[in-house]
Amino acid sequence: MFRRRKKKDEPVTPVEADEVAEDLGDEDAEPGQDGPYDSSEAPKDGVHRLDLGSLLVPVVEGINVQMQGDQQGNIRQVVLIHGDSALQLMAVAAPRTEDIWDEVREEIQAQIHREGGSVKDGEGPYGPELHARLKGPKGTVQARFVGISGPRWLIRAVFQGKAAVDDEAAAVLDGVLRGVIVERGDDPRPVSEPLPMTLPKEVAEQARAQAAAESNGARKPSPGASAE
């Protein structure tokens, strides 16, 4: 069943953190039918979501949103920070009929071992997951890797800090994760290729305005004779 999404230019307000679980629910959905959602099954919940291209992420009061890119300047993942916890999100392409999370977990485990960390298998609300201790610039970081499969996509979610080991600390970030909508698109993509992400419209406009202001400020009028 197709559902219409809220218009992007419609006035919206952030969701309070303690209302995440209630506001992200779809009143038409059956119990246990939480997200993340494919765009073809997006709920009509009235929640304002940050449009990042392949991911639409609920805006929640008290959560800081950061974008991370690669050396070529492509945005690869979004990081949500809440108190002493963080949640990294990225979506990758997947086959239509095959779940690739088992394969991806093996790749993550190998990478963690190569970088000197430790990791073990775990089980969580989304199924098999990884519990890891990563070596960071400021010491050891606790991390919990979660994979969520949808139609031709896989979300890789990494809870860090307190959220990796404490369900209560992870509750707000997990609520946001369950409200994410994935815009896969119809383009064919290699398996595990990151789905393209973009800056939100309001952020991009702000960046352009700031760049224009800095450019105009740098252009000082050259001295010369005044007209009489």
Side-chain angles (χ1 to χ4, degrees):
M1 179 172 61
F2 293 94
R3 297 185 176 93
R4 242 180 1 176
R5 284 205 313 266
K6 196 174 190 178
K7 293 182 180 179
K8 294 180 182 178
D9 57 352
E10 188 173 341
V12 289
T13 55
V15 180
E16 294 292 342
D18 58 359
E19 297 174 351
V20 171
E22 179 180 353
D23 287 352
L24 294 184
D26 180 358
E27 49 188 44
D28 294 330
E30 298 178 0
Q33 297 298 310
D34 290 329
Y37 304 93
D38 185 70
S39 58
S40 64
E41 301 173 345
K44 296 184 296 183
D45 52 17
V47 171
H48 174 36
R49 289 174 169 84
L50 207 57
D51 188 347
L52 307 179
S54 58
L55 294 180
L56 279 70
V57 180
V59 175
V60 176
E61 194 76 28
I63 289 185
N64 182 30
V65 180
Q66 298 180 0
M67 309 295 289
Q68 293 185 344
D70 57 23
Q71 294 180 347
Q72 287 71 43
N74 301 311
I75 299 173
R76 292 306 189 195
Q77 62 184 1
V78 57
V79 182
L80 311 176
I81 301 173
H82 182 250
D84 296 327
S85 300
L87 174 61
Q88 293 181 346
L89 293 177
M90 71 179 299
V92 301
R96 185 180 300 275
T97 58
E98 181 182 354
D99 187 345
I100 62 172
W101 178 229
D102 288 345
E103 178 182 342
V104 172
R105 286 206 320 279
E106 292 180 0
E107 295 172 355
I108 294 172
Q109 286 177 313
Q111 180 179 353
I112 292 174
H113 288 310
R114 285 196 301 268
E115 295 176 354
S118 62
V119 60
K120 62 181 180 179
D121 292 317
E123 190 76 19
Y126 299 100
E129 55 187 35
L130 296 175
H131 301 167
R133 293 172 63 88
L134 310 176
K135 285 190 174 182
K138 297 183 179 180
T140 302
V141 178
Q142 299 276 3
R144 178 162 59 93
F145 292 79
V146 173
I148 306 162
S149 297
R152 300 175 65 208
W153 52 259
L154 170 76
I155 284 185
R156 288 178 49 171
V158 187
F159 291 90
Q160 295 185 0
K162 287 187 177 180
V165 294
D166 185 336
D167 290 343
E168 185 174 345
V172 172
L173 292 173
D174 186 63
V176 174
L177 175 57
R178 292 178 183 274
V180 166
I181 296 172
V182 181
E183 289 274 12
R184 166 61 175 80
D186 297 325
D187 295 341
R189 297 183 182 278
V191 173
S192 294
E193 178 182 277
L195 300 183
M197 300 181 70
T198 58
L199 285 176
K201 179 180 178 182
E202 53 266 45
V203 175
E205 290 177 350
Q206 183 179 0
R208 284 194 293 268
Q210 182 177 349
E214 292 175 352
S215 176
N216 292 335
R219 296 175 185 171
K220 297 180 179 180
S222 59
S226 59
E228 296 184 357

